[in-house]
Every structure is written in structure tokens, then in C-alpha cells.
Amino acid sequence: MFNVMFDTIFFASYGNFYGLSNITISSFDILLAYIVTIVAAVACALILRLPLLPSKPYRYSYDVSAIYPTPIIAIGILSIFLVLNYTFMYNGLVLAVIIGVLSALFVKYLFDFVFPKPLDENTGEDINE
């Protein structure tokens, strides 16, 4: 499993979409950008007063929180930018902070419109409301 993760990080840092091998960032810079994205997304979500954890029971909860899905969305968007080798400034750290903040804003205000909660089979209303 760790070999697959290393190969993925190495592939993303080796070259870019256009094959310009002189514009690359290291594996450490990619991992640092991922960590910065996670921290920025969770911190901004907590500032926006999203709960840290969803309501109980966790397994059947459709509530958004600072832990899930905020950093997962941020990591996915950052991965798209890194595969296209668009790192902006400071080896992707500024881009990581911007994506972390925007993903927290997306989860707070637009997540329920894009991904609506399923309807309850018995009452016909949204679950967890």
C-alpha cells in the first residue's frame, strides 16, 4: 500500500501535463501542500461554526462537519491542480490555503444544494432535520 502511495506522489512530482520536466516540485512539497490544505480546511470550517463531528449515530448521519467531508473535498481539488502541475506560488502552499478556505465555504453554504440529503422512507421528509 505504501508503495502505491509513493508511486502516486512521485508521478505527480516527476513531470507535468505538458512534459516540461524543468517545472517540478518535490514529493515533500506535495505532502506539505496536502497537510496545509487539510489544516486550512478544518480551521476555516471551525471558524464558520461547522461542528467538529456529525451528530450521533455517526454511521447513519448525513450532517456535514469539519472532519468530513471538508478536508476530503479540499484534498481532491488540490490533487486535480497538482496533476495538471498548476502550483501557483510557493510550491503550491498558497494554492493549498485558498483551496482549503474555498472548500470550507462550499461545505458550509452549498453542499446541501449540490448533494441533497436522502428522503426518509417512512415520513417522506429529509433525514436528520
Side-chain angles (χ1 to χ4, degrees):
M1 180 175 94
F2 293 112
N3 194 17
V4 171
M5 289 180 1
F6 176 75
D7 289 341
T8 304
I9 292 171
F10 180 72
F11 173 73
S13 67
Y14 182 67
N16 67 1
F17 184 75
Y18 300 107
L20 301 172
S21 61
N22 58 349
I23 305 173
T24 60
I25 59 175
S26 68
S27 299
F28 177 75
D29 290 332
I30 291 175
L31 288 176
L32 186 63
Y34 280 133
I35 292 170
V36 167
T37 301
I38 292 169
V39 170
V42 171
C44 187
L46 290 175
I47 290 171
L48 291 172
R49 300 200 185 272
L50 278 173
L52 184 63
L53 294 172
S55 62
K56 290 186 179 181
Y58 300 131
R59 186 173 187 176
Y60 300 108
S61 177
Y62 290 99
D63 295 338
V64 294
S65 65
I67 298 296
Y68 181 82
T70 308
I72 286 68
I73 291 173
I75 289 172
I77 295 171
L78 181 67
S79 297
I80 292 170
F81 280 100
L82 289 178
V83 166
L84 295 175
N85 202 21
Y86 182 76
T87 55
F88 194 51
M89 295 183 343
Y90 301 113
N91 292 334
L93 294 179
V94 174
L95 183 67
V97 171
I98 291 170
I99 289 174
V101 170
L102 290 178
S103 67
L105 289 170
F106 172 77
V107 168
K108 174 71 176 182
Y109 297 111
L110 296 175
F111 188 80
D112 289 332
F113 293 114
V114 176
F115 305 108
K117 295 177 184 176
L119 296 176
D120 190 10
E121 294 176 1
N122 299 329
T123 62
E125 297 177 358
D126 288 344
I127 295 178
N128 294 333
E129 283 196 8

